[in-house]
Amino acid sequence: MPSTPRLSSDSASSLSSDSRSSRRSPGLGLRSTSALILVHERDDEDNAFAFSDEDSESLVEDNSPPELIIPPSIAFGYFLAPCLKLGAMLILSSQAPLKISLPALLVFSFLSVFSRQVWFLLARYVRKSDVADIVAEAVSRNRDKDRLKSFVRSATRFGSGTVRILLATVYIKGAKSSLEPLWPDAVSPVPPSTVLSVVFMIFLVPLSLGPSLASRRLVYSTGVSNALYIVWLCAIIYAHAEGSLNTDNVMIAQGRLFQDISAVAFAFSSLSTLHLYSGMVGLRASSDKKEKRYLSISSISFSAALLGTAMVLPLLFPSVKSHGNNEPTTDPPLVQALIATLTAFILVLAIPPLLATSPHLPIPLALRRLTSRPLGKHALLLVLFLLSLLPAAAEPVLEDAVVLLVLLGTYFLPALLHIILHNMRRPLSILVTPRSQPLPARWLRLERLGGPPDRDPDTEELLLRKERALQRRRLGRRIMWDLGVWTLLIPVGGGGMAWAVGRFAGAW
């Protein structure tokens, strides 16, 4: 008999120790004296997670090996990586004063950690570690609507893949824009944009074929990208000290929404939260050692956000920013060429993890039988190459769409799903009324037929007292989580949408 599982801190009540056995054997379940029962969905058996009484995540005993195993150090690198990419480069070129940019940095750093924690709790509550499964659980009201759930899963995966491929397109276009000024004139009759797209795709093909985030090529590319950001930051500081830095030449936003505070929010966005959560849970499932608190997924997420904040903070100070006519009179010095090259490779190396977590394009079975190669990923690379050839006039629209979708997926979506699942859907656990209160008609019929015997009042009272004490201890925590989620949904999500509409309308 496994240890008593317990839902997340957002659940209304705990599970009984006999709930799992009662699900498999009705006879045993009817003879249980526990006053706590669990109502399961039909598809809860697939990819089901169960957790101990503590807040640390642990898996139910399962004979099947986990699909993804990610050590804490690798997960830390993946959590840190989004802070050191396009968002940080756009912060460098923003003109927001320090009294606005510094609070925005601290606020969105905290909100990113909070939104990731909401994703963790949703995965624990639903016992599924895929965004599509969580959205399907939130959208479908009845258990029998399997067709609706399947459609919602497919639509969510399609939307997730679209956001990732568009973000990869923005990355590759940003890399091209940083290297095009260094391209010598009259080298070839082909435009430099097309040549750079071909070169980047040749570079990306072997890196992007990793099967998961645990693949060595993806781990190495992410680690190299993070290390290159440190070199890039040192080059920025050196160029500023030499007086040859013009931040307008590093990276300039083309869209209307990549401005000041939105660039800070984008820097702390993340699209791979549940993939990393699944990998960390898989690691604990494959190990018999007790998890140390500082190696938990929540601690790693917080530490990565803290380090990312420290590494982005120097870019906020006005003394580093240098706009306007600060160009050297001679050819660009070596440090400027180094900054442009580092910018390009940092962005390009951020693309393989996006493609690895993106759903593959559907390929006909007849074509898949012809080769063992991952044709779905090759099709994604082909789509990325074609999108990278879009004209410059499409870049503002592309950037606006990407920043809006990424910010909604990072901050707004987890809050909305949390509110739907915990306030608009039937709870997964139900506290049965005490013996002194009338029992449901089903139980009365079972008793008349010689069903379950009378429950032990002492045992039942003890369970109810323990449950009430637990709920009192966690009441304050649940209130704080609800306040935080509603803050993400209305002031942050709703305010951000109103700001975006105003930007498009030209109101500000």
Side-chain angles (χ1 to χ4, degrees):
M1 179 76 64
S3 60
T4 302
R6 185 169 302 278
L7 294 174
S8 66
S9 59
D10 299 299
S11 330
S13 61
S14 61
L15 311 181
S16 71
S17 60
D18 293 332
S19 61
R20 182 164 297 276
S21 60
S22 63
R23 184 174 43 168
R24 294 172 182 163
S25 177
L28 293 176
L30 295 176
R31 293 180 175 83
S32 173
T33 61
S34 172
L36 303 176
I37 66 171
L38 178 67
V39 177
H40 291 276
E41 299 289 346
R42 289 183 178 179
D43 54 352
D44 280 351
E45 299 295 333
D46 301 331
N47 195 22
F49 293 129
F51 304 94
S52 64
D53 292 344
E54 303 297 331
D55 288 338
S56 59
E57 303 87 0
S58 60
L59 277 176
V60 175
E61 295 179 2
D62 190 1
N63 295 327
S64 61
E67 297 181 357
L68 183 64
I69 298 178
I70 299 179
S73 58
I74 296 176
F76 180 85
Y78 280 121
F79 278 128
L80 178 64
C83 303
L84 314 181
K85 300 296 183 290
L86 184 61
M89 299 170 184
L90 293 174
I91 289 174
L92 179 64
S93 60
S94 68
Q95 301 185 20
L98 189 61
K99 63 181 181 180
I100 295 178
S101 59
L102 181 57
L105 180 73
L106 299 178
V107 168
F108 281 102
S109 175
F110 169 77
L111 290 179
S112 67
V113 177
F114 183 81
S115 63
R116 286 199 291 256
Q117 191 66 26
V118 173
W119 277 123
F120 301 155
L121 294 177
L122 286 173
R124 294 170 59 187
Y125 182 72
V126 182
R127 294 179 296 159
K128 293 178 173 63
S129 59
D130 187 16
V131 176
D133 292 327
I134 297 176
V135 174
E137 290 291 333
V139 171
S140 58
R141 297 180 61 91
N142 299 328
R143 299 181 182 180
D144 296 332
K145 294 187 176 180
D146 294 334
R147 184 175 302 177
L148 176 60
K149 284 188 177 182
S150 178
F151 172 77
V152 171
R153 288 191 190 98
S154 301
T156 304
R157 289 180 180 130
F158 174 79
S160 174
T162 301
V163 173
R164 284 172 167 80
I165 198 69
L166 292 179
L167 180 58
T169 305
V170 171
Y171 281 161
I172 200 169
K173 280 189 165 293
K176 287 163 53 177
S177 65
S178 64
L179 288 183
E180 283 180 359
L182 304 179
W183 194 265
D185 298 332
V187 171
S188 66
V190 182
S193 176
T194 304
V195 176
L196 288 174
S197 293
V198 174
V199 172
F200 287 150
M201 295 310 299
I202 294 175
F203 179 76
L204 283 173
V205 166
L207 294 178
S208 301
L209 297 181
S212 67
L213 293 179
S215 174
R216 288 187 178 182
R217 62 186 75 185
L218 296 179
V219 173
Y220 292 154
S221 62
T222 303
V224 170
S225 177
N226 294 342
L228 289 180
Y229 175 84
I230 300 176
V231 181
W232 178 86
L233 183 60
C234 294
I236 291 291
I237 297 174
Y238 176 80
H240 168 68
E242 293 293 323
S244 60
L245 175 65
N246 185 354
T247 56
D248 291 339
N249 293 336
V250 178
M251 186 65 62
I252 297 294
Q254 304 296 326
R256 295 182 180 182
L257 301 184
F258 256 140
Q259 303 292 332
D260 301 334
I261 295 180
S262 62
V264 177
F266 185 84
F268 289 96
S269 62
S270 177
L271 298 178
S272 303
T273 299
L274 288 185
H275 293 86
L276 299 175
Y277 173 83
S278 177
M280 291 288 292
V281 171
L283 176 66
R284 286 189 292 276
S286 62
S287 175
D288 296 332
K289 297 181 180 178
K290 184 178 180 180
E291 179 194 18
K292 298 179 180 178
R293 185 169 294 275
Y294 70 90
L295 294 179
S296 66
I297 186 73
S298 301
S299 300
I300 293 174
S301 172
F302 176 78
S303 302
L306 195 64
L307 181 59
T309 303
M311 298 180 74
V312 174
L313 184 61
L315 304 177
L316 296 179
F317 293 96
S319 59
V320 177
K321 304 176 187 294
S322 178
H323 305 277
N325 297 323
N326 210 12
E327 298 278 359
T329 56
T330 59
D331 291 339
L334 180 61
V335 65
Q336 291 189 6
L338 176 63
I339 291 175
T341 305
L342 290 173
T343 300
F345 277 97
I346 289 172
L347 295 178
V348 170
L349 288 174
I351 295 176
L354 291 175
L355 299 181
T357 55
S358 177
H360 298 174
L361 292 180
I363 303 296
L365 181 61
L367 294 179
R368 283 185 282 140
R369 287 177 175 175
L370 297 178
T371 178
S372 60
R373 294 182 176 273
L375 297 181
K377 285 196 174 182
H378 287 286
L380 278 178
L381 290 169
L382 178 60
V383 172
L384 177 61
F385 174 72
L386 296 177
L387 290 176
S388 68
L389 299 178
L390 289 175
E395 292 184 13
V397 179
L398 178 64
E399 286 191 2
D400 288 338
V402 166
V403 67
L404 187 62
L405 293 174
V406 170
L407 293 184
L408 287 177
T410 300
Y411 303 103
F412 183 81
L413 182 60
L416 180 63
L417 294 176
H418 177 95
I419 291 171
I420 292 176
L421 286 172
H422 290 288
N423 296 276
M424 303 179 185
R425 293 291 181 267
R426 183 176 57 187
L428 297 182
S429 58
I430 300 175
L431 183 64
V432 179
T433 56
R435 181 62 173 171
S436 59
Q437 298 182 12
L439 289 172
R442 179 174 61 88
W443 277 83
L444 295 176
R445 288 195 300 268
L446 289 174
E447 285 190 338
R448 286 196 298 266
L449 295 175
D454 292 339
R455 290 169 288 182
D456 183 7
D458 294 334
T459 303
E460 182 174 310
E461 182 64 23
L462 177 61
L463 285 173
L464 292 176
R465 287 174 59 187
K466 291 176 64 176
E467 178 65 22
R468 293 190 190 104
L470 176 64
Q471 294 304 320
R472 282 195 299 268
R473 288 197 303 268
R474 296 192 172 185
L475 177 62
R477 185 185 301 179
R478 290 200 303 271
I479 293 175
M480 294 301 296
W481 277 108
D482 288 340
L483 289 176
V485 166
W486 281 104
T487 300
L488 274 180
L489 186 68
I490 298 178
V492 177
M497 288 295 295
W499 173 82
V501 173
R503 288 288 298 178
F504 285 125
W508 44 73

